[in-house]
Amino acid sequence: MEKSTSPIAMGIATAAAVGMVALMMKRRREQKVPESMKAWQLSSYDSDPAAAIDTLTLEENVPTPSEIGPNQILLKVDYASVNPIDWKLFSGGLHGLCPVASFPYTPGFDVGGTVQSVGAEVSNLAIGDKVIANTGLVESCTDPAPTPGGPAGAFAQYAAVPAELCVKVNGMDLKTVVGLPLAGLTSYQALFTGVGSTFTGESLGDAKEGSKVLILGAAGGVGCLAIQMAKKAKCHVAVTASTSKMPNDSSMTKIDFVKSLGADVVIDYQKENWATVLAGQDYDMIYDCVGAMEDLTEHAPKVLKKGGSFVSIANFDPSSKSTDDVRFCVFFIKSNSEELQSLVTMVKDGDLTVPIDSEYKFSEVKEALKRSIGGRSVGKILVKIDH
């Protein structure tokens, strides 16, 4: 006779099988990571960002944010990219808009690396995927700060990142795209609005075929991307730059560099006043990456068509406002993976290049930030994270 299996035994076997499947699924959703990691941390605000940079410390036993939320991933960071907003937060002057709610915290927003684990509700990413992301200025600098991960978090060996902000870049060299998220989305939203808006919910740029666009500070990390995007959209692009030498090629000047990216008109701001050169030419938009008040109040009205847009990422003076002649806009980017994906596609298709100014070791984050605060970088400043 066949020996029958009791219901109790069958139940135990089923529970064991279910448990084994759950364990296997969990292992497929996470890889072993160390309990602690190295991370750069700032202990408090300082009204002088340069002085704050000097107080940064590389801590070696920071808890790894391994207990991620259901919609997060844990990223093993291979590269980070420096942006001016990283050190601008250090003064506390932007606390009302994007607070650092708890100290110490790990600065930096642009990350690129390998997925180590995925939250229970993440279906579009898997362990081993190479991704880039902007951890989110307005998304992570909140009060209270999101947990785990906290504000920013890029200058560390591991980072907890919302999966919805990540874009897969499998097969691509991380160095070529890690500088894209924050700077790329900033320029994209400044030029075309997309999901972006002013602090009061108004639209930003409306660049399209035939639009006349002036980019101030075009050789920097955001400006050099904006040139390429505007030209891809078939805009007429004027820019300001200088004859300073390129950091990695002494035979090329910044003016040569922006010309190579497709700028139609290049003005050496050290020799000429752009408002004089372009006076009366009815430009549709000025994209301001410099932040000089006189550019808004004195120069822009001479160049823009009546009601033209002056979109700034650098002028946060409370007295800055729109007039009958100039529509003033200032904004912070909104992190968005769909827009970032379109930028990555542009890179893949050869329509967009992310120029690299310099690369620093993980131990040299202070130097990388000082390079940024000096205002002379051309393209993106990268940090290689060691493990």
Side-chain angles (χ1 to χ4, degrees):
M1 286 180 66
E2 273 190 3
K3 190 173 181 180
S4 62
T5 305
S6 72
I8 294 177
M10 290 180 63
I12 293 173
T14 300
V18 170
M20 182 63 68
V21 170
L23 179 60
M24 290 174 63
M25 290 296 292
K26 182 177 181 182
R27 285 175 177 172
R28 290 166 67 180
R29 301 186 75 85
E30 62 182 34
Q31 288 187 343
K32 185 174 179 60
V33 297
E35 294 183 356
S36 62
M37 64 177 182
K38 293 180 182 179
W40 283 93
Q41 295 199 321
L42 184 74
S43 59
S44 65
Y45 285 138
D46 189 308
S47 58
D48 180 0
I53 290 174
D54 286 330
T55 69
L56 282 167
T57 55
L58 179 56
E59 301 295 336
E60 298 197 358
N61 292 295
V62 177
T64 303
S66 53
E67 296 299 321
I68 55 173
N71 295 300
Q72 290 181 313
I73 64 160
L74 179 65
L75 189 69
K76 181 180 180 182
V77 183
D78 295 315
Y79 277 96
S81 171
V82 174
N83 295 281
I85 192 63
D86 299 336
W87 50 264
K88 287 183 178 180
L89 289 180
F90 294 174
S91 72
L94 296 173
H95 187 86
L97 295 171
C98 38
V100 175
S102 61
F103 287 94
Y105 91 105
T106 297
F109 293 97
D110 278 346
V111 288
T114 308
V115 176
Q116 297 297 290
S117 62
V118 296
E121 296 179 14
V122 175
S123 59
N124 62 324
L125 297 171
I127 289 173
D129 278 338
K130 297 287 186 181
V131 303
I132 58 171
N134 162 29
T135 60
L137 174 62
V138 297
E139 292 83 2
S140 74
C141 291
T142 58
D143 191 2
T147 55
F155 300 149
Q157 292 179 315
Y158 293 87
V161 186
E164 65 178 358
L165 303 184
C166 298
V167 169
K168 285 190 279 191
V169 291
N170 293 332
M172 301 180 74
D173 183 352
L174 279 174
K175 280 182 64 172
T176 65
V177 286
V178 71
L180 187 59
L182 195 147
L185 289 173
T186 298
S187 285
Y188 183 87
Q189 291 169 17
L191 292 170
F192 312 113
T193 295
V195 301
S197 66
T198 67
F199 297 139
T200 55
E202 299 171 9
S203 63
L204 301 169
D206 184 29
K208 51 186 177 293
E209 183 174 355
S211 295
K212 298 172 73 173
V213 177
L214 168 62
I215 302 170
L216 305 178
V222 287
C224 65
L225 298 176
I227 295 171
Q228 299 172 75
M229 293 180 202
K231 290 305 297 180
K232 174 68 174 174
K234 299 182 179 180
C235 299
H236 173 84
V237 180
V239 304
T240 63
S242 73
T243 54
S244 298
K245 299 294 185 181
M246 293 289 289
N248 300 317
D249 184 356
S250 60
S251 68
M252 177 181 278
T253 67
K254 291 183 179 181
I255 283 180
D256 297 327
F257 171 62
V258 295
K259 284 181 179 178
S260 74
L261 297 177
D264 298 293
V265 178
V266 180
I267 301 165
D268 182 351
Y269 69 85
Q270 293 177 329
K271 295 180 179 178
E272 298 180 292
N273 185 322
W274 57 264
T276 302
V277 176
L278 302 177
Q281 296 189 26
D282 287 343
Y283 270 67
D284 297 283
M285 174 185 171
I286 295 175
Y287 178 25
D288 170 38
C289 308
V290 176
M293 180 60 79
E294 62 269 20
D295 286 340
L296 170 64
T297 58
E298 299 175 25
H299 301 153
K302 299 175 183 177
V303 172
L304 287 172
K305 68 182 183 182
K306 187 175 179 63
S309 297
F310 187 97
V311 181
S312 182
I313 59 169
N315 184 342
F316 293 95
D317 190 308
S319 66
S320 299
K321 59 183 179 180
S322 297
T323 65
D324 290 339
D325 295 319
V326 178
R327 187 177 77 96
F328 174 72
C329 310
V330 65
F331 75 107
F332 286 142
I333 73 156
K334 293 180 181 176
S335 296
N336 181 274
S337 61
E338 290 183 9
E339 291 181 354
L340 182 55
Q341 179 63 69
S342 21
L343 297 181
V344 168
T345 300
M346 286 180 66
V347 173
K348 287 182 178 179
D349 292 343
D351 294 323
L352 182 65
T353 299
V354 185
I356 297 173
D357 173 88
S358 49
E359 180 180 324
Y360 290 82
K361 298 176 182 178
F362 188 36
S363 60
E364 298 172 330
V365 163
K366 288 184 181 182
E367 288 74 15
L369 289 165
K370 288 176 181 178
R371 171 72 180 164
S372 174
I373 205 170
R376 292 292 180 263
S377 59
V378 182
K380 296 300 300 179
I381 301 168
L382 307 186
V383 176
K384 178 74 174 74
I385 311 298
D386 57 44
H387 288 268

